[in-house]
């Protein structure tokens, strides 16, 4: 990239800092510098890498179950401006974990199904992870990192957007890629916001929202000793359960019934 182009890119990015205010689905003010389209591209790229390194489940019943629950949640999920289709992959691993990347890429580890004991509990996790994408938490986190690190980091992002090898810098900032892992922990604000979005989605889809409370009780039991990856930086169990119960009391009456997705033997 020529020097003048870099200067122009930096100036544009710095101007974007001033103009980077946005609002989350819950009405919370956000600072967004990295575009959703850029994040979607990075998320899709990282998901492809992950599928090449992680073992993918070939169990038909398990895949149908996870897809069924996910599809029901997606039916009530608003269309996203930066991608058209969601993709869900089940990874054969004992990790108690799930994630959703920008670009609509959802990963569920089979270990989660031992803690999420029924479809309502699984729906609470899927809804929560989709909430991260809906609320642009990935863009917000990277944008805050860019603003903190200044113009040098901005230049790195600009170079990465043009297809140069420096794209690994932003990949690391996301916590994405083969050698970095799936996701850096979200903040507690992001986690609490995704809890709220998730319980709203699962309720609208016809799942029992009380399943979210039961899920986190199971998570609390499973976290004795070494916490599951899904619990990194999450709110305390009691706080989370209290907040979910308060949110459930405010939910509107359900207008649809969730499908019977069954439950695989795990």
């Amino acid at each position: 990239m020529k020097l003048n182009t870099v200067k122009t890119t930096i100036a544009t990015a710095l101007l974007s800092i001033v103009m980077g205010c946005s609002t989350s689905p819950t009405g919370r003010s956000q600072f967004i510098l990295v575009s959703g389209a850029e994040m979607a591209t990075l998320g899709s790229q990282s998901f492809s890498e992950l599928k090449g390194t992680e073992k993918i489940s070939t169990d038909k019943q398990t895949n149908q179950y996870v897809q069924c629950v996910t599809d029901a949640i997606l039916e009530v999920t608003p269309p996203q401006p930066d991608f058209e289709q969601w993709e869900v992959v089940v990874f054969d691993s004992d990790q108690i974990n799930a994630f959703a990347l920008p670009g609509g890429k959802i990963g569920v580890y089979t270990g989660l199904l031992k803690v999420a004991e029924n479809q309502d509990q699984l729906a609470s996790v899927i809804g929560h992870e989709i909430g991260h994408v809906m609320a642009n938490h990935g863009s917000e986190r990277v944008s805050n990192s860019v603003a903190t690190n200044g113009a040098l980091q901005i230049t790195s992002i600009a170079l990465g957007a043009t297809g140069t090898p420096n794209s690994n810098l932003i990949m690391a900032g996301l916590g994405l890629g083969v050698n970095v892992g799936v996701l850096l922990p979200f903040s507690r604000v992001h986690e609490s916001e995704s809890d709220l979005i998730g319980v709203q989605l699962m309720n609208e889809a016809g799942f029992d929202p009380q399943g979210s409370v039961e899920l986190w009780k199971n998570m609390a039991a499973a976290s004795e000793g070494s916490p599951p990856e899904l619990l990194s930086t999450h709110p305390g169990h009691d706080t989370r359960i209290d907040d979910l119960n308060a949110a459930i009391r405010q939910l509107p009456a359900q207008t649809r019934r969730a499908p019977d997705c069954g439950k695989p033997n795990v």
Side-chain angles (χ1 to χ4, degrees):
M1 180 183 287
K2 295 181 179 179
L3 180 59
N4 288 340
T5 304
V6 172
K7 289 180 178 179
T8 301
T9 303
I10 293 173
T12 301
L14 289 172
L15 179 61
S16 297
I17 291 178
V18 179
M19 302 174 62
C21 295
S22 183
T23 303
S24 76
T26 65
R28 180 178 59 85
S29 295
Q30 296 176 290
F31 170 72
I32 302 293
L33 174 60
V34 184
S35 74
E38 289 175 309
M39 295 293 293
T41 298
L42 290 167
S44 297
Q45 180 181 348
S46 298
F47 198 57
S48 294
E49 293 180 7
L50 193 62
K51 289 190 291 185
T53 58
E54 294 282 331
K55 182 180 180 182
I56 296 176
S57 173
T58 58
D59 184 81
K60 184 176 180 180
Q61 186 182 15
T62 300
N63 278 274
Q64 287 179 340
Y65 171 65
V66 173
Q67 189 70 57
C68 176
V69 173
T70 304
D71 285 345
I73 295 290
L74 291 178
E75 283 185 11
V76 300
T77 300
Q80 301 302 295
D82 300 308
F83 60 91
E84 293 183 358
Q85 293 187 345
W86 295 78
E87 178 185 4
V88 58
V89 172
V90 180
F91 294 102
D92 190 357
S93 169
D94 289 335
Q95 290 188 52
I96 303 173
N97 205 3
F99 63 88
L101 300 180
K105 307 303 181 182
I106 300 170
V108 175
Y109 291 86
T110 53
L112 175 66
L113 304 181
K114 299 177 182 179
V115 178
E117 298 175 340
N118 54 48
Q119 66 179 39
D120 298 312
Q121 294 179 22
L122 178 59
S124 73
V125 178
I126 299 297
H128 171 95
E129 298 303 332
I130 289 174
H132 281 307
V133 176
M134 286 177 57
N136 295 316
H137 287 160
S139 294
E140 187 178 9
R141 179 176 52 191
V142 172
S143 297
N144 287 330
S145 177
V146 169
T148 300
N149 293 321
L152 177 61
Q153 184 73 8
I154 293 171
T155 303
S156 299
I157 289 177
L159 291 171
T162 66
T164 66
N166 289 303
S167 61
N168 288 334
L169 293 175
I170 191 171
M171 301 285 276
L174 273 172
L176 306 176
V178 176
N179 297 321
V180 184
V182 176
L183 281 174
L184 290 173
F186 285 109
S187 70
R188 291 192 177 190
V189 170
H190 289 165
E191 294 298 342
S192 296
E193 187 169 56
S194 286
D195 276 352
L196 179 59
I197 296 171
V199 80
Q200 291 171 342
L201 288 175
M202 67 182 297
N203 181 70
E204 188 174 351
F207 293 102
D208 182 0
Q210 194 63 36
S212 64
V213 173
E214 298 306 316
L215 181 280
W216 289 109
K217 289 180 180 178
N218 294 348
M219 283 289 192
S223 68
E224 293 181 1
S226 178
E229 291 85 347
L230 195 62
L231 296 177
S232 298
T233 73
H234 285 218
H237 302 303
D238 292 341
T239 298
R240 179 167 228 154
I241 289 171
D242 288 344
D243 289 346
L244 283 168
N245 278 322
I248 289 170
R249 289 193 291 270
Q250 301 299 318
L251 291 173
Q254 292 181 330
T255 59
R256 67 172 71 197
R257 178 177 297 177
D260 182 2
C261 295
K263 177 69 165 67
N265 295 320
V266 293

